[in-house]
Amino acid sequence: MTYAVTISGSPSAASRSARLLRFVESELVGAGIEVRRIDVRALSPAALLAADASHDDLRYALAQVAGAQAVVVATPVYKAAYSGLLKAFLDVLPQDGLAGKLVAPFATGGSPAHLLALDYALKPVLSALGAQHILRGVFAVDQQVPKEEGAALDAAIADRLGANVDQLSQWLHEREVIRQWPARAAGGIHDSSRAPGAPNGNGPGGLNGPNEPNARSANRATLAA
């Protein structure tokens, strides 16, 4: 099954990075993508600190990451570094734990001075874990992401998140087409003139059907509010 897993590295459920994650999850679901969430703060602290991958909490979370085709990571930035909670979870992943996956990193911080934490702190770790592709990601300052539910995200941030969602959904739809191809070919219902993953004419890239990016973009301003 093709799905995306989202990982919240915030110690608070009401954090701004969690708000970004909820926005992205809503957009992905609207694009027809299954989303599974991992809240690192809800995992066993003792198991995390001991890197005990045999613990039920970690075993389940690691299995969710292993089976995903795309991974979305959101974290607050403290002192120019991603959260220690997220670090504890990433340390438990196998060395190739993100191999073959598309990864989108998102972060929030108190000032633009923390922007480089994505490029120089988090992305190198994601790359070391084998991520096939890492999207540019999004960094937002506190003023751009109100904590209050119902308050609108900054329009520029919503647009940038939406662009990442479009890339994630395109990737996942392609992976699903490739996954289904052997069964479709065996059933004799494939189009021999088209290779796996090639456009089928339904929307941009041929893989989004009724949930194409332009349709989602039209609703993005409403979702951000």
Side-chain angles (χ1 to χ4, degrees):
M1 178 180 294
T2 302
Y3 65 90
V5 67
T6 60
I7 302 173
S8 173
S10 173
S12 169
S15 71
R16 290 178 171 86
S17 63
R19 177 88 193 279
L20 293 185
L21 205 58
R22 288 194 296 273
F23 179 91
V24 170
E25 288 168 342
S26 176
E27 287 267 284
L28 286 171
V29 169
I33 303 299
E34 180 180 347
V35 178
R36 304 181 186 182
R37 164 81 79 94
I38 297 172
D39 286 307
V40 182
R41 68 179 177 280
L43 303 178
S44 166
L48 273 176
L49 290 176
D52 181 8
S54 66
H55 189 281
D56 287 347
D57 280 2
L58 291 190
R59 187 169 66 248
Y60 179 77
L62 293 175
Q64 295 303 302
V65 174
Q69 289 68 45
V71 177
V72 180
V73 180
T75 178
V77 173
Y78 304 117
K79 298 181 180 178
Y82 57 93
S83 74
L85 196 60
L86 178 60
K87 182 183 187 307
F89 183 71
L90 295 178
D91 285 348
V92 180
L93 290 176
Q95 188 62 40
D96 60 351
L98 299 179
K101 305 181 192 304
L102 179 65
V103 181
F106 304 127
T108 57
S111 77
H114 295 303
L115 171 64
L116 295 180
L118 271 181
D119 290 329
Y120 293 102
L122 182 54
K123 286 185 179 180
V125 175
L126 300 176
S127 179
L129 288 169
Q132 183 170 350
H133 299 293
I134 302 175
L135 298 183
R136 184 176 180 181
V138 176
F139 176 85
V141 296
D142 290 350
Q143 294 86 344
Q144 294 174 309
V145 189
K147 280 188 176 181
E148 300 79 12
E149 289 297 334
L153 293 178
D154 177 83
I157 292 299
D159 285 345
R160 289 166 58 195
L161 290 172
N164 276 256
V165 167
D166 289 342
Q167 290 177 280
L168 286 163
S169 60
Q170 179 74 8
W171 169 274
L172 287 162
H173 282 300
E174 288 175 352
R175 300 284 79 73
E176 181 64 15
V177 168
I178 292 170
R179 186 185 71 82
Q180 292 182 4
W181 189 260
R184 292 173 61 85
I189 59 175
H190 68 285
D191 181 351
S192 60
S193 68
R194 206 166 54 236
N200 62 11
N202 294 327
L207 295 169
N208 288 310
N211 296 305
E212 61 195 47
N214 287 341
R216 292 197 303 279
S217 297
N219 297 323
R220 198 155 280 148
T222 301
L223 287 171

